[in-house]
Amino acid sequence: MDTSQNTALTRALTELPGPLPARGVIQVVIRHADRFTVVGNDLAQHPGLSTTAVGFAVRIQSLPQGTEVGVKALAARFPEGEKLIAAALRELEAHGYLQRARTRLPNGRIVTRTVFCNQPAALLRPRGAAALPQQAPVAPQVTAPVPAPAPALAPAPARGPALAPAPKPEHHAPEAPVPQGHASFIPLVPPPTAPKPPRPPLPRPRELTPELERISAALLSDLHHHSPEFTLSEEHVHRLVPGVAAWLERDTHPDTIRHALTTNAPEPVKYPYQFVKHRLTALLPPPPHRTTVTPFQTCDGCERAFRAPTPGHCRDCRTGHAHEDQQAAA
């Protein structure tokens, strides 16, 4: 099989027009008739993307709509490992070719939707700046002259006007109509240099009491005993104490806080301080719903227990005293 391929390639080289270059690559281009994907040079020769990222961009671009392109799905389809695939997808995401966003479906389920664009730079240009591709002009109609009949043959039938073959116009994908009054559009994929929204601040308790501070510092300092990757410095523990105190103020058990901070963490945790700060902020539980309970009081007259905000007499004693006052007044 290899010998046949080498022979065919050698024969193809002899059929190339013009002199061949003395060095460098020689392109043998065979036009595709079916099962092909158009890849632009802006992707194939992108100076900021690695060869692995370009390869996975081409593979993703060749897949049909709706195909799973997550890390595990690509690792099951191709021989590369998950770490190499994840690094390639991060490169494509940083340069605007790939966008992953969590979307809530009508049934309430949350899914990760992946969008791939083969020309992210084109999304940032106004639609009016790029002119629509023009079709090739159609040749005018030309009337062919009627040839004179040969003397020894029967006269040939007269031919009507013939049309010169017109070149077939190139097929271009129709562009979406531009809404009136809008010279530009909002880009679907933000550029890598777009400013990111500020991160929410670390939650703080209403009052950082010495007891809350002590319990919070002990919980943070003890995290590495449960997960060695969560080793925090003394300065980081001091900065994160208000966040843990805010959880404790909302009646959250320390074991619950420890479980929320260390469960389902990435491997390895490169920046434990940033990771713990993010979870303390993003997973903050709501404040507890407190109901006011009226305390029990002991009646000063009959010594029965009754609910009232302040000490005094129960309802029966108050009713009896009121009846006695009415009789005395009469």
Side-chain angles (χ1 to χ4, degrees):
M1 186 65 181
D2 294 340
T3 304
S4 302
Q5 289 182 352
N6 293 337
T7 304
L9 186 58
T10 303
R11 185 173 67 252
L13 287 176
T14 61
E15 298 175 357
L16 291 178
L20 299 179
R23 65 175 121 184
V25 65
I26 300 174
Q27 302 282 0
V28 178
V29 180
I30 301 174
R31 184 179 181 85
H32 289 280
D34 58 354
R35 299 186 72 252
F36 63 92
T37 300
V38 179
V39 179
N41 285 339
D42 55 341
L43 173 61
Q45 301 178 7
H46 197 290
L49 289 175
S50 64
T51 306
T52 304
V54 174
F56 275 102
V58 175
R59 286 182 164 179
I60 293 174
Q61 189 175 343
S62 66
L63 296 175
Q65 296 273 24
T67 305
E68 294 290 339
V69 291
V71 175
K72 294 188 179 297
L74 293 177
R77 181 186 293 265
F78 303 116
E80 289 79 4
E82 293 187 5
K83 291 186 178 180
L84 188 62
I85 295 175
L89 296 184
R90 285 195 296 268
E91 286 187 53
L92 296 175
E93 195 169 3
H95 288 84
Y97 287 91
L98 192 71
Q99 185 183 33
R100 290 177 286 190
R102 297 177 68 83
T103 306
R104 184 182 296 275
L105 299 179
N107 59 0
R109 181 185 176 188
I110 298 178
V111 298
T112 299
R113 180 168 292 171
T114 304
V115 180
F116 182 86
C117 179
N118 61 342
Q119 296 187 59
L123 297 176
L124 304 178
R125 294 196 298 264
R127 285 290 179 90
L132 293 175
Q134 299 180 355
Q135 296 182 350
V138 180
Q141 296 182 356
V142 179
T143 304
V146 179
L153 301 176
R159 284 188 279 176
L163 295 178
K168 295 182 179 181
E170 296 183 0
H171 177 71
H172 298 278
E175 291 194 6
V178 180
Q180 297 182 359
H182 293 272
S184 61
F185 72 103
I186 300 176
L188 299 178
V189 180
T193 57
K196 297 182 179 180
R199 295 181 178 180
L202 185 72
R204 302 185 66 88
R206 291 175 296 179
E207 181 183 0
L208 185 58
T209 62
E211 184 67 13
L212 284 178
E213 186 175 4
R214 183 186 64 80
I215 299 176
S216 301
L219 188 148
L220 292 169
S221 302
D222 190 60
L223 284 180
H224 70 278
H225 290 132
H226 300 270
S227 297
E229 297 179 347
F230 288 89
T231 302
L232 301 172
S233 64
E234 183 178 0
E235 177 65 22
H236 289 166
V237 169
H238 179 72
R239 294 180 183 179
L240 295 173
V241 159
V244 179
W247 283 56
L248 294 173
E249 191 180 52
R250 301 189 176 201
D251 294 343
T252 308
H253 196 274
D255 292 341
T256 304
I257 301 176
R258 187 181 300 107
H259 184 270
L261 297 181
T262 59
T263 303
N264 295 330
E267 296 181 2
V269 180
K270 295 183 179 180
Y271 307 100
Y273 166 72
Q274 296 291 347
F275 184 81
V276 173
K277 180 180 178 182
H278 169 73
R279 288 207 166 179
L280 286 175
T281 306
L283 304 180
L284 180 67
H289 180 70
R290 303 182 184 276
T291 57
T292 304
V293 180
T294 305
F296 281 102
Q297 306 290 346
T298 302
C299 178
D300 295 340
C302 62
E303 296 185 355
R304 286 192 304 176
F306 69 100
R307 290 188 181 272
T310 57
H313 294 84
C314 63
R315 182 187 306 173
D316 295 339
C317 292
R318 290 196 302 270
T319 304
H321 289 321
H323 185 65
E324 292 177 358
D325 293 342
Q326 292 178 1
Q327 289 181 353

